[in-house]
Amino acid sequence: MEASEDYTTLFDQYLRGELDKAKVIEFENRLETDEHFLQQFNLHKETLEGIDQHFDEMLKSKLKVIEQEISHPTATSRPWVWWAIAAAVTLLLVSTFLLYAPRESIDDTFQAFYEPYPNIVNPSSRSLHSQSESWSVAYDARDYAFAMLAIEKELLLSPDSVDLLFYHGQAAMATNQLSKASGQLQVVLNRDSSRYTGPAIWYLSLIEFKQGRNEATKKYLDRLISGHSDYEDKAKELYAIINK
């Protein structure tokens, strides 16, 4: 991973979805294991939010000037002030769009489509291990961090449980651990005739989409459109957004 002086470029590339899959996995693993790296990343995001706010304030200021010019025009101001104001506002809008719109657009679209999968595990079919109920209760309560830990304990005893693997991936996704979620959902997807095949493909498409990998997203969406009617409409809708 890059030295500290290169963190800004690395952070920007991650936020814009410009890193390849291997680097995303490496980046997210480091966020989970390197406290200093996580602090630097959070500071970087806070700085970007401050810049964003600054752009907003500047834009409001320019718009106020326009309003004043409209209300109190002068003969000397008309020819060049309008051009200067228009150029300044255009520059601010373009700069803001280039810096933030792609990431915000991806995040907003992701949130519009994403909802953690409901807990459909029948209590009578759950493991009899003591942790099985605690992960289920935590998951239903949307305490995904606790649910994830409880499922990990269960997986030590039942490593081949498709239910546990799927919901471990769901809990990881809900806590924004996308590389871990992707790994578990891929395992589920490789199981033949799993009741979670369609959902796994859908959530994998969302993970790829959030990370800006549109071609990989489309491949998953194609599978849903051609073979999973429950997700066909949503897949087509997301596909249309990507192709805009």
Side-chain angles (χ1 to χ4, degrees):
M1 192 68 72
E2 287 82 347
S4 59
E5 60 265 22
D6 295 327
Y7 280 175
T8 297
T9 300
L10 178 62
F11 292 158
D12 285 338
Q13 289 174 335
Y14 176 77
L15 291 172
R16 290 177 183 273
E18 296 173 352
L19 298 178
D20 60 31
K21 186 171 184 178
K23 289 184 178 179
V24 168
I25 293 173
E26 181 185 3
F27 186 96
E28 292 179 349
N29 285 340
R30 185 163 183 184
L31 286 179
E32 296 175 18
T33 59
D34 187 333
E35 182 66 26
H36 175 71
F37 187 73
L38 176 62
Q39 291 174 355
Q40 292 297 312
F41 179 62
N42 289 336
L43 178 62
H44 182 75
K45 289 196 295 183
E46 291 172 3
T47 300
L48 288 182
E49 290 170 0
I51 294 172
D52 195 15
Q53 183 177 0
H54 177 65
F55 271 119
D56 287 343
E57 291 173 354
M58 289 181 67
L59 182 56
K60 289 177 183 177
S61 176
K62 295 299 181 184
L63 292 174
K64 187 174 182 180
V65 171
I66 291 175
E67 183 180 353
Q68 291 173 347
E69 287 295 325
I70 293 173
S71 301
H72 306 288
T74 64
T76 57
S77 70
R78 291 193 189 98
W80 65 272
V81 170
W82 284 108
W83 178 89
I85 292 171
V89 172
T90 300
L91 179 61
L92 284 169
L93 289 172
V94 171
S95 299
T96 302
F97 176 80
L98 291 176
L99 282 171
Y100 305 108
R103 184 69 254 168
E104 290 177 354
S105 177
I106 290 174
D107 288 344
D108 290 344
T109 302
F110 174 84
Q111 290 301 328
F113 282 96
Y114 172 66
E115 177 66 25
Y117 198 74
N119 181 6
I120 62 171
V121 180
N122 189 318
S124 64
S125 67
R126 292 175 189 161
S127 166
L128 296 178
H129 303 307
S130 60
Q131 293 295 329
S132 62
E133 186 63 25
S134 64
W135 82 255
S136 180
V137 171
Y139 190 90
D140 289 341
R142 294 181 176 263
D143 186 354
Y144 298 113
F146 183 86
M148 193 171 177
L149 292 174
I151 294 171
E152 286 171 359
K153 293 180 180 178
E154 277 289 284
L155 282 169
L156 294 175
L157 299 170
S158 304
D160 296 324
S161 169
V162 176
D163 289 327
L164 293 174
L165 290 168
F166 178 77
Y167 283 102
H168 188 260
Q170 285 295 305
M173 191 170 178
T175 54
N176 203 36
Q177 299 180 59
L178 299 185
S179 60
K180 187 173 291 186
S182 179
Q184 295 292 55
L185 293 173
Q186 287 285 0
V187 173
V188 172
L189 192 57
N190 291 332
R191 301 295 176 90
D192 293 335
S193 302
S194 169
R195 60 177 167 169
Y196 299 115
T197 297
I201 296 172
W202 171 244
Y203 286 105
L204 283 166
S205 75
L206 291 180
I207 290 172
E208 296 294 339
F209 174 77
K210 188 173 184 181
Q211 296 177 103
R213 297 193 283 267
N214 287 343
E215 291 307 312
T217 304
K218 289 179 182 180
K219 289 180 180 179
Y220 284 121
L221 295 178
D222 284 336
R223 293 177 66 177
L224 292 170
I225 292 169
S226 63
H228 297 273
S229 58
D230 290 347
Y231 288 90
E232 183 177 355
D233 290 342
K234 290 194 292 186
K236 287 180 177 179
E237 187 177 352
L238 182 54
Y239 209 110
I241 290 172
I242 293 172
N243 283 335
K244 282 185 180 179

